[in-house]
Amino acid sequence: MTADHRRLRVALLGAGAVGSQVAALLLQHGDELADRAGATLDLVGIAVRDVDAPRDADLPRDLLTTDADELIVSADIVIELMGGIEPAKTQLLQAINAGADVVTANKALLATHGPELFEAADRVGAEVYYEAAAAGAIPIIRPLRDSLAGDRVRRIMGIVNGTTNYILDRMDLEGAEFADVLAEAQALGYAEADPTADVEGFDAAQKAAILASLAFHTAVPLDAVHREGITSIDKGMIETARRAGFVIKLLAVCERLTDPENGVESISVRVYPALVSREHPLASVHGANNAVFVEAEAAGDLMFYGAGAGGVQTASAVLGDVVSAARRHIAGGVGVGESTHANLPLAPVGHVVTRYQITLEVDDRPGVLAIVAGLLSDGGVSIATVEQTVHGGGVAHLVIGTHRAQEQNLSDTVDRLAASDVVERVVSVLRVEGD
Ligand code: HSE
């Protein structure tokens, strides 16, 4: 059966890697999608900057237009896949105010202006769908928003950036240096010519803000996300991690913190390279794949794994949203708004409590270990393991694994270690996540 009794007008803004695949699949699987959606989805036009630009998929030329406004005013569903803040934001608001439901994969826009879009949708009873905005093809937005709505999420640890996972994985597998793997990834087109958004953690931070907002029913502004990238990771750190049973992953960690003294809850959202036990499921995420590990109070541990990018893969998530939007449109009623009822305070990274691995280059002479141990003890940081490797020339490396410590104490202690006469250099400080 085809659902030709109902027709919905679908406008697409953007025909890049994802947009062109969305259009192609909408046209190719129109009958099947109509049956699932309960309405025929008429792709009425595709707004692009340049109708003559080369596309990843063959699209009917008569659907291409440079006039987005004309498409938006008459659409039931608007799909925004242009990326960037403007004109995406203005056009999505225009679509919402004209009564359309909107589908977007625009993580930068959601992480910076999400509340504005959600409020606009609430005002008119429309809905914003964004399954493709975090972790590409992996269903994670709906699981957090709907499937886990009856549970309490304790922590999310996500590998949500494929480029950095690819680089760190190659460094781990081949003992390669960061700069060499990055250059090769760029030559092969896996990494962008300007890799800043990926390697400095900006992309992961946007996704972390989106996931944390959903998981903790709290609007999380992007500037509340603590962010560190992977450019300082070298093959020595990877090797040290390996010897201690860890792999280094760029993680987006979204965590519910509870003050042990008064039980007051807050949330911490952070992106940094972290040590993950080789036994942890996230350690098995190789190449450019993504995975989101969710720890919930009742459900326990869940892991969502798959392609975090790619045109056709991400198009799958977008089309799922289009079908949901169509069903809602047919059913009528107001859209489901974003839940920010908990409105938990955002904790600074100094409040985080976790384990750490500190690598120090020290003078190899009597009493040095005792001085280092004393400084850690004075800082309230308890030592779990110590490994010393002698490097010759009177220099040794101490790799210290700590018990759980508060980040602020740890960082103050590392400052005191760095200032100590016996420490030549703080080689690295990495957090351990996933215990
Ligand atoms: N550049 C991102 C990544 C994909 O490497 O995962 C889009 O978010």
Side-chain angles (χ1 to χ4, degrees):
M1 178 201 90
T2 51
D4 54 5
H5 50 293
R6 306 294 289 267
R7 306 194 82 89
L8 293 176
R9 295 170 63 82
V10 178
L12 175 60
L13 312 180
V18 181
S20 58
Q21 297 295 345
V22 166
L25 292 173
L26 255 176
L27 296 169
Q28 199 180 328
H29 301 309
D31 286 349
E32 226 176 311
L33 290 171
D35 283 339
R36 293 177 195 168
T40 297
L41 302 170
D42 288 324
L43 180 58
V44 292
I46 307 169
V48 292
R49 260 194 312 236
D50 174 4
V51 292
D52 296 317
R55 314 261 165 230
D56 290 353
D58 235 356
L59 304 177
R61 204 186 150 86
D62 60 352
L63 285 180
L64 299 175
T65 173
T66 53
D67 190 349
D69 293 351
E70 196 205 334
L71 285 183
I72 290 167
V73 289
S74 63
D76 300 302
I77 298 171
V78 172
I79 311 169
E80 182 274 309
L81 297 170
M82 295 178 289
I85 305 300
E86 287 294 357
K89 181 179 149 215
T90 299
Q91 291 181 350
L92 280 176
L93 287 171
Q94 202 182 330
I96 290 167
N97 291 329
D101 283 323
V102 298
V103 175
T104 178
N106 194 330
K107 56 191 174 276
L109 180 60
L110 289 165
T112 50
H113 297 280
E116 210 175 319
L117 294 176
F118 300 136
E119 278 158 28
D122 275 352
R123 276 197 298 276
V124 298
E127 192 157 334
V128 180
Y129 297 82
Y130 53 97
E131 184 60 73
I138 303 174
I140 185 62
I141 300 299
R142 239 180 235 95
L144 287 174
R145 194 173 69 165
D146 300 331
S147 320
L148 289 166
D151 208 332
R152 277 168 59 85
V153 173
R154 279 201 189 117
R155 180 164 61 171
I156 296 174
M157 290 187 295
I159 295 173
V160 291
N161 182 269
T163 306
T164 47
N165 201 58
Y166 173 84
I167 293 171
L168 293 172
D169 193 40
R170 289 272 314 271
M171 290 174 74
D172 184 59
L173 292 173
E174 297 165 21
E177 277 295 8
F178 171 79
D180 297 334
V181 181
L182 173 61
E184 203 182 308
Q186 285 173 312
L188 293 169
Y190 296 152
E192 303 279 343
D194 177 359
T196 312
D198 294 317
V199 300
E200 296 292 1
F202 291 102
D203 173 79
Q206 290 167 352
K207 294 165 182 168
I210 292 170
L211 297 179
S213 299
L214 281 167
F216 302 119
H217 304 272
T218 293
V220 176
L222 186 56
D223 58 14
V225 180
H226 175 86
R227 177 195 53 79
E228 295 170 33
I230 65 162
T231 53
S232 63
I233 305 297
D234 62 24
K235 68 179 186 186
M237 290 158 77
I238 300 258
E239 184 47 38
T240 304
R242 171 188 296 283
R243 278 205 311 278
F246 297 113
V247 61
I248 301 180
K249 296 287 189 190
L250 182 73
L251 292 186
V253 184
C254 315
E255 189 174 24
R256 188 188 293 272
L257 306 180
T258 308
D259 187 321
E261 283 176 10
N262 55 20
V264 170
E265 291 191 330
S266 59
I267 57 176
S268 159
V269 191
R270 52 202 197 260
V271 169
Y272 46 50
L275 298 172
V276 175
S277 162
R278 287 189 180 262
E279 309 295 316
H280 194 282
L282 286 173
S284 65
V285 178
H286 295 292
N289 283 306
N290 283 196
V292 184
F293 191 85
V294 180
E295 299 168 19
E297 282 184 10
D301 295 346
L302 307 163
M303 186 154 105
F304 302 82
Y305 167 86
V312 74
Q313 294 89 340
T314 307
S316 160
V318 172
L319 285 168
D321 279 351
V322 172
V323 170
S324 294
R327 288 175 179 156
R328 199 200 78 73
H329 223 90
I330 297 297
V334 294
V336 180
E338 290 299 291
S339 159
T340 52
H341 70 87
N343 199 17
L344 292 170
L346 287 144
V349 72
H351 288 198
V352 168
V353 176
T354 192
R355 295 200 293 126
Y356 296 83
Q357 185 193 66
I358 307 166
T359 303
L360 303 174
E361 189 173 296
V362 296
D363 299 339
D364 190 8
R365 58 179 167 77
V368 167
L369 194 53
I371 293 170
V372 168
L375 287 169
L376 285 159
S377 163
D378 292 349
V381 178
S382 176
I383 298 171
T385 58
V386 182
E387 183 204 39
Q388 174 169 317
T389 49
V390 175
H391 283 235
V395 166
H397 275 198
L398 286 180
V399 181
I400 301 162
T402 76
H403 287 295
R404 286 168 70 76
Q406 194 171 54
E407 172 99 8
Q408 192 59 58
N409 286 350
L410 192 287
S411 122
D412 293 346
T413 305
V414 169
D415 287 347
R416 283 196 288 273
L417 285 166
S420 154
D421 290 345
V422 300
V423 174
E424 296 293 331
R425 186 164 69 93
V426 177
V427 178
S428 61
V429 180
L430 288 167
R431 292 92 171 177
V432 179
E433 294 286 357
D435 292 335

